[in-house]
Amino acid sequence: MTAADVATTSQNVANGSELALDLRNVHSYYGHIHALKGVSLTVRHGEIVTLIGANGAGKTTTLRTISGIVHPQQGEVRLNGQRIDHVPPHRIVEMGVCQSPEGRRIFPRMTVLENLEMGAFARRDSEALRREDLERVLTLFPRLRERLKQKGGTLSGGEQQMLAIGRALMSQPKVLLLDEPSMGLAPNLVETIFETVVAINRAGVAVLLVEQNALMALNVAARGYVLETGRIVLEDEAKALQQNEKVQKAYLGIE
Ligand SMILES: Nc1ncnc2c1ncn2[C@@H]1O[C@H](COP(=O)(O)OP(=O)(O)OP(=O)(O)O)[C@@H](O)[C@H]1O
Ligand SMILES: [Mg+2]
């Protein structure tokens, strides 16, 4: 699959106008630190949207505000049109939003299988359906299948990243929030992770993708936002952002 195929696909999937996520003028704080200063962004059903920005820009905070780990002091977060900005995190997971956290926080002492089962904790459906999803995740990441009984902490960095994404998928998300899924991975694995993101999206999951690897992110996304010190400074179609001089200079390393 080429980058062009990938981009076309995600744009095709990004149909209707119905919004999966809708953030309006969101302000989030850590104590006195004003981390998000009026962030507005949307993700349509079935769309991949990327959020790019430098270290400390507020990317992770944006995802945490959507997941309910941080409650905004001002502004609104909507999921399928419904306010979720003061809903507790476990309820938001039940509503179909799942975040795969930065730095692959898996459970190191649990086996790969146990880690994946933890991802399904909020589900109230049958064991059989969970088995089906487990099968799907293991088909997506064959490496995990070979290591089901191995302790999470003994996996390589790339395998832990696959496990973190796999675990997020076990919650059957409608919206997947990915925080730097390619961080620290070898180039061939980065490719695999991005292809997986596209495959997940094709299965009907909307994705908000936070990435330092802006080039790859803009290749798979339909649209993108650029965040600088808590503010969205640019938003556009991913293709247009790739051509944008400021983006090229600051995030794509093109002079
Ligand atoms: N738990 C916290 N307590 C206090 N300040 C925090 C906390 N977490 C983040 N911040 C601050 O909020 C701002 C945004 O941080 P955030 O983690 O969202 O950035 P980021 O864009 O994800 O950066 P990176 O690319 O380094 O992951 C930063 O200035 C950071 O220092
Ligand atoms: Mg971050």
Side-chain angles (χ1 to χ4, degrees), residues 30 33 35 53-62 64 102 180 212:
Y30 297 103
I33 295 173
N55 293 126
K59 304 181 298 296
T60 298
T61 305
T62 302
R64 285 174 152 173
E102 191 178 10
E180 315 247 10
Q212 297 258 340

Side-chain angles (χ1 to χ4, degrees), residues 95-134:
M95 291 168 87
V97 179
C98 193
Q99 180 172 353
S100 174
E102 191 178 10
R104 345 173 167 122
R105 274 191 233 115
I106 52 135
F107 303 108
R109 295 209 178 85
M110 290 186 179
T111 65
V112 167
L113 180 60
E114 286 162 348
N115 266 279
L116 290 172
E117 284 168 346
M118 284 297 287
F121 80 96
R123 290 171 59 171
R124 303 216 171 98
D125 51 5
S126 71
E127 178 66 23
L129 286 175
R130 268 178 266 173
R131 288 276 139 208
E132 250 176 54
D133 281 344
L134 179 64

Side-chain angles (χ1 to χ4, degrees), residues 178-191:
L178 290 173
D179 201 350
E180 315 247 10
S182 80
M183 187 164 54
L185 300 186
N188 64 330
L189 261 189
V190 171
E191 195 89 18

